[in-house]
């Protein structure tokens, strides 16, 4: 009976995945229209433009929208592997394959002792809630690398370190996966891989790390937590603008630098908390590595000057790995991330016009989405701390003098 029930559950999983992913492909292939805003233009215009430059053996040094580490050139160039398709169609299919890789990894992991199918369901249900944006950005490819790294972490620390380093050179944030790594082999493997790949890119292609300058000059993107200040301030006469700046829609005007500085300060506070947690943590379980990574990426996403819709793919992937462990305490934050994914697709691309003009509906969507992310971050941090940091025992009271005890019991 158990085998029959497990088979039925697997059939439902695969059927749901196939149906939802088919729908996503139909949207990005423009068989059906998802919204008035075309989310595939990043691939057809931006990625395609970078592709032509990268084919010449150099990075797009004159394009401030190139804000990615050097290994990001690989997913941008990857459609060349399918020369019989157009660039856009090849990219969409490769993003679909990355999605399938995550599914296979989670399905394989959930068969191990102490694991659960919850993680697979989080991925299967969470990704389509983000709409076609998932297949129109290369973030799903980075997430596949991150999921593989976390699942390899407990048994194969060297492989985890190498995959983490490769992921970090794709889009920086996978470096946070090492926050909960306790084995030195993972750190050494990451350091060696990162050094080797960085040297290779630096020697073979000019401008491998020019992205650092472009990232430094970014402002406050309209979907970020700090942007809520300006969305509200516009209703009280704030004299600023919403412009396409450094590849995203950002606020430009008075107090933007101060709000961006505040976001950076919050990021530093998050880093300080993670460092304190690492120093104090003493209870390590098999799922701690994934929970620490999930918490760290949540904290850095929420405090960032930019919260693009595709960032949610990272969180869904890490949440899926966490709850694939039966003993994980990240169930509530994972559900918050899935709910935030649904609100995200309502604000981008469906309601992005409302967000840009800061009307009541647009502000409400951002308050809901960012509020869910803040709640998920705080909840995840509290649960990680409580499950790993041993409480400091209270100091024992000094022994009472024997004479006092005798005086108390004497008639």
């Amino acid at each position: 009976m158990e085998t029959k029930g497990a088979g039925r559950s697997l059939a439902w999983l695969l059927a749901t995945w196939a149906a939802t992913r088919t729908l996503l492909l139909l949207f990005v292939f423009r068989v059906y229209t998802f919204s008035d805003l075309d989310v595939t233009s990043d691939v057809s215009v931006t990625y395609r433009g970078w592709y032509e430059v990268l084919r010449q053996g150099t990075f797009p040094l004159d394009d401030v929208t190139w804000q990615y580490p050097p290994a990001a050139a690989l997913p941008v160039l990857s459609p060349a592997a399918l020369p019989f398709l157009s660039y856009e169609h090849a990219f969409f299919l490769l993003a679909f394959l990355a999605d399938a890789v995550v599914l296979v990894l989670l399905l394989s992991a959930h068969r191990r002792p102490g694991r659960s199918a919850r993680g697979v369901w989080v991925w299967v249900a969470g990704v389509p809630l983000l709409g076609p944006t998932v297949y129109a950005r290369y973030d799903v490819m980075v997430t596949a690398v991150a999921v593989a790294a976390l699942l390899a972490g407990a048994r194969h620390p060297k492989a985890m370190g190498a995959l983490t380093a490769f992921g970090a050179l794709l889009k920086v944030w996978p470096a946070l996966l090492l926050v909960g790594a306790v084995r030195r082999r993972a750190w050494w493997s990451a350091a060696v891989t990162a050094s080797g790949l960085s040297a290779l890119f630096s020697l073979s292609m000019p401008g491998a790390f020019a992205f650092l300058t472009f990232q430094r000059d970014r402002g406050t993107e309209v979907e970020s937590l700090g942007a809520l200040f300006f969305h509200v301030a516009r209703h009280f006469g704030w004299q600023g603008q919403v412009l396409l700046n450094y590849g995203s829609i950002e606020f430009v005007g008075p107090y933007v630098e101060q709000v961006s500085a505040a976001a950076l300060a919050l990021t530093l506070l998050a880093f300080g908390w993670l460092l304190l947690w690492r120093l104090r943590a003493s209870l390590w379980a098999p799922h701690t590595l994934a929970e620490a990574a999930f918490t760290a990426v949540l904290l850095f996403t929420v405090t960032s000057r930019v919260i693009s819709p595709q960032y949610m793919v990272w969180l869904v992937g890490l949440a899926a790995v966490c709850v694939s462990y039966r003993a994980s305490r990240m169930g509530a934050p994972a559900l918050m991330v899935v709910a935030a994914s649904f609100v995200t697709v309502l604000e981008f691309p469906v309601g992005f016009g409302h967000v840009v003009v800061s009307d009541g509906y647009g502000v409400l969507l951002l308050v809901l989405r960012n509020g869910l992310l803040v709640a998920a971050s705080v909840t995840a941090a509290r649960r990680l701390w409580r499950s790993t940091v041993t409480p400091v025992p209270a100091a024992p009271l000094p022994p009472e003098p024997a004479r006092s005890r005798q005086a108390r019991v004497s008639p």
Side-chain angles (χ1 to χ4, degrees):
M1 291 296 292
E2 287 186 14
T3 304
K4 190 178 294 185
R8 190 178 296 115
S9 176
L10 177 61
W12 274 108
L13 269 170
L14 294 177
T16 304
W17 183 86
T20 54
R21 274 43 178 194
T22 299
L23 195 58
L24 290 179
L25 286 173
L26 290 173
F27 285 137
V28 292
F29 277 86
R30 300 184 190 176
V31 176
Y32 298 114
T33 301
F34 185 79
S35 72
D36 294 336
L37 186 62
D38 180 15
V39 300
T40 66
S41 60
D42 272 29
V43 177
S44 59
V45 178
T46 307
Y47 288 9
R48 181 60 188 265
W50 292 339
Y51 171 80
E52 298 298 338
V53 175
L54 290 166
R55 289 177 62 191
Q56 307 305 315
T58 183
F59 288 94
L61 302 180
D62 298 327
D63 188 350
V64 295
T65 62
W66 175 261
Q67 299 172 11
Y68 306 105
L74 300 179
V76 174
L77 289 169
S78 63
L82 302 175
F84 48 88
L85 294 175
S86 68
Y87 180 88
E88 297 85 353
H89 291 177
F91 186 91
F92 300 148
L93 282 180
L94 291 171
F96 165 79
L97 288 176
D99 180 1
V101 166
V102 176
L103 175 71
V104 171
L105 289 171
L106 291 170
L107 281 173
S108 300
H110 102 278
R111 299 176 183 273
R112 300 174 190 169
R115 299 298 184 92
S116 165
R118 293 181 305 166
V120 192
W121 275 113
V122 166
W123 180 255
V124 169
V127 167
L129 291 179
L130 290 166
T133 304
V134 173
Y135 287 173
R137 306 290 187 275
Y138 81 89
D139 295 79
V140 67
M141 302 175 184
V142 185
T143 303
V145 175
V147 168
L150 281 180
L151 292 175
R155 297 183 177 184
H156 308 287
K158 288 184 178 179
M160 185 233 172
L163 286 168
T164 298
F166 178 57
L169 287 173
L170 283 169
K171 207 164 186 181
V172 180
W173 68 266
L176 295 170
L177 305 185
L178 290 170
V179 166
V182 293
R183 297 189 182 183
R184 292 183 179 179
R185 283 178 292 174
W187 287 87
W188 278 110
S189 176
V192 170
T193 303
S195 300
L197 289 176
S198 297
L200 178 64
F201 278 110
S202 296
L203 293 173
S204 60
M205 297 177 70
F209 293 94
F211 78 98
L212 294 171
T213 301
F214 300 152
Q215 276 286 352
R216 180 193 63 197
D217 296 333
R218 294 194 74 162
T220 297
E221 190 252 351
V222 295
E223 297 163 280
S224 65
L225 184 63
L228 286 171
F229 171 82
F230 298 110
H231 283 295
V232 175
R234 292 176 87 180
H235 294 274
F236 295 92
W238 177 72
Q239 299 299 313
Q241 294 178 293
V242 175
L243 299 175
L244 179 62
N245 197 38
Y246 289 96
S248 63
I249 306 297
E250 298 181 354
F251 282 111
V252 177
Y255 308 112
V256 171
E257 288 187 11
Q258 289 82 350
V259 170
S260 296
L264 178 60
L266 286 175
T267 299
L268 292 175
L269 283 174
F271 178 80
W273 183 89
L274 286 168
L275 180 60
L276 177 63
W277 167 78
R278 184 60 196 256
L279 293 174
R280 293 285 305 277
S282 58
L283 302 174
W284 300 91
H287 53 270
T288 301
L289 177 67
E291 293 187 344
F294 179 48
T295 303
V297 176
L298 263 172
L299 290 171
F300 279 84
T301 300
V302 167
T303 59
S304 174
R305 293 172 294 174
V306 180
I307 306 181
S308 296
Q310 61 267 25
Y311 292 8
M312 298 300 301
V313 185
W314 320 340
L315 299 175
V316 171
L318 299 184
V321 176
C322 284
V323 299
S324 68
Y325 292 91
R326 293 186 185 277
S328 174
R329 301 184 63 194
M330 293 295 166
L335 285 177
M336 293 178 197
V337 165
V338 171
S341 298
F342 176 65
V343 182
T344 297
V345 80
L346 294 180
E347 65 91 0
F348 184 92
V350 177
F352 195 60
H354 297 278
V355 172
V356 171
V357 299
S358 304
D359 66 16
Y361 180 66
V363 174
L364 175 62
L365 289 175
L366 285 181
V367 168
L368 285 175
R369 197 279 299 271
N370 292 345
L372 283 166
L373 290 180
V374 170
S377 302
V378 173
T379 305
R382 289 181 62 187
R383 293 188 176 190
L384 178 66
W385 185 277
R386 289 179 178 178
S387 64
T388 56
V389 176
T390 306
V392 179
L397 294 173
E400 220 176 327
R403 188 168 55 186
S404 299
R405 290 199 301 270
Q406 291 172 357
R408 203 164 45 240
V409 299
S410 61

